[in-house]
Amino acid sequence: MGRKTVNNGIGTVQEGLNSRIGRTFATILRKALIIICLESILIGGVLAILYTLKDNRNAVKEYTGEIDRAMQSKVSMLEAIASGISSGTLEEREDIQSYVDYMAGMDDQVSAVYSCYDENITIMSGGWQPPADFIVTEREWYKAAQANPDEVYISDPYVDEQSGGFCITLSKATYHNGKVAGVVGMDMYMDNLVSLIEESFSQSSYVFLATSDGTILVHPNDEYALSLDNTPTVQSVNGGRYASLVQTDMRTKLMLDYKGGFKLGIGNTSEVTGWKVVSVEPIYSIFIFFA
């Protein structure tokens, strides 16, 4: 009897010890699992942030590259036109007229091609004749092209009064007997570039385009886009929060968007035009990715 009682006591003690060990192990296990979960959340959050930042950087690089490729083709076209005029093979006005007409017809985005000379002579595709008070040598695109004769000048976009669409002027100096003697110019529509930017517009993210001085050209908010009656800038809209995005390239910044809520923005500069491309991505995409 006594031995049986002792055995029961030992069993009870053993059971209690096992129970405490079990509870201790369970507590340690729960803590370990909590730590692992927290680490997973932290790692997942960091990866999500990195993914969103990379996605935004890729977007702004992609659109900048598209603009550069499109505009480089126009620059090359104008350089070819300038070479033709400077070659000295086109001396007669009729020949020059036929040449600019032919070059203008090569691209449906080109509205006009013209060859101008220091004697205040302008020969434009389509046969347009300037008025008596038109002094071509005083035009900004003419002076800018001759100031840097080896470069193609690209004007800031402007709104065409007749169509309401965006246009730009490209110009380059031409030579006669080895000396700068004139300028060739080309007016082109920006329909394709505008459509390219507008493809980025969604309910939450977008890309917009601005000039080097900050004038906004294309934006999902019509009040922030250039028009005949409105010249918005990154300094004047959205509380000036866009301004920092165009001051430096490829630096992601957190900002309050015009629709409300914080978003990630990043800017980049077109190497061909000097224009600013800005990509804006919602910050909550980080949590969507993580989920």
Side-chain angles (χ1 to χ4, degrees):
M1 294 292 292
R3 182 174 295 176
K4 184 177 181 180
T5 302
V6 171
N7 288 339
N8 287 342
I10 293 174
T12 302
V13 171
Q14 187 65 43
E15 291 174 358
L17 180 60
N18 290 339
S19 178
R20 287 195 296 274
I21 292 174
R23 288 195 298 271
T24 301
F25 177 77
T27 300
I28 294 173
L29 181 61
R30 282 196 299 271
K31 290 181 178 180
L33 290 174
I34 290 173
I35 292 173
I36 292 173
C37 288
L38 290 175
E39 288 178 344
S40 299
I41 291 172
L42 178 61
I43 293 172
V46 170
L47 291 176
I49 291 173
L50 292 176
Y51 175 85
T52 303
L53 294 177
K54 181 180 179 181
D55 187 57
N56 211 12
R57 290 173 67 88
N58 288 341
V60 77
K61 284 183 177 180
E62 176 184 350
Y63 281 96
T64 304
E66 291 285 349
I67 289 173
D68 281 344
R69 284 187 287 273
M71 289 305 302
Q72 184 57 54
S73 68
K74 309 304 181 187
V75 168
S76 298
M77 180 178 177
L78 187 66
E79 288 175 336
I81 296 171
S83 295
I85 294 295
S86 299
S87 67
T89 59
L90 302 171
E91 295 290 345
E92 300 297 327
R93 185 182 183 98
E94 293 77 10
D95 294 334
I96 298 172
Q97 183 68 63
S98 297
Y99 180 66
V100 295
D101 284 340
Y102 174 77
M103 298 305 291
M106 291 184 64
D107 191 326
D108 60 4
Q109 288 291 294
V110 173
S111 63
V113 173
Y114 35 94
S115 183
C116 309
Y117 304 88
D118 290 349
E119 295 80 11
N120 196 33
I121 296 173
T122 298
I123 304 173
M124 180 176 287
S125 59
W128 177 80
Q129 296 294 324
D133 59 350
F134 182 82
I135 303 177
V136 70
T137 55
E138 294 182 355
R139 297 287 169 165
E140 175 62 27
W141 51 266
Y142 194 100
K143 294 187 292 185
Q146 290 201 342
N148 296 283
D150 295 330
E151 303 293 330
V152 171
Y153 168 78
I154 301 177
S155 75
D156 282 341
Y158 55 91
V159 181
D160 181 67
E161 294 184 1
Q162 294 182 345
S163 66
F166 292 141
C167 296
I168 56 173
T169 295
L170 292 79
S171 59
K172 189 178 188 307
T174 53
Y175 295 81
H176 182 69
N177 294 330
K179 296 182 179 180
V180 174
V183 169
V184 291
M186 182 170 72
D187 294 339
M188 61 167 285
Y189 302 114
M190 288 183 60
D191 298 355
N192 290 349
L193 294 181
V194 171
S195 297
L196 172 68
I197 298 299
E198 289 178 344
E199 289 174 359
S200 73
F201 298 169
S202 69
Q203 292 295 325
S204 55
S205 62
Y206 56 91
V207 171
F208 73 85
L209 183 64
T211 63
S212 58
D213 65 359
T215 300
I216 300 177
L217 306 174
V218 188
H219 194 282
N221 184 350
D222 291 340
E223 295 181 359
Y224 291 2
L226 181 66
S227 67
L228 285 173
D229 303 321
N230 189 27
T231 307
T233 66
V234 293
Q235 296 84 9
S236 64
V237 302
N238 194 31
R241 300 181 184 93
Y242 290 135
S244 62
L245 298 177
V246 302
Q247 293 171 353
T248 56
D249 287 344
M250 303 308 296
R251 289 190 179 181
T252 302
K253 298 184 179 182
L254 185 65
M255 65 160 200
L256 186 64
D257 194 37
Y258 73 99
K259 287 185 176 180
F262 286 97
K263 293 187 179 180
L264 298 175
I266 185 170
N268 197 25
T269 303
S270 163
E271 293 182 0
V272 178
T273 65
W275 300 337
K276 304 293 183 176
V277 183
V278 177
S279 176
V280 179
E281 185 85 11
I283 194 170
Y284 65 73
S285 62
I286 294 175
F287 305 105
I288 293 175
F289 174 82
F290 177 69

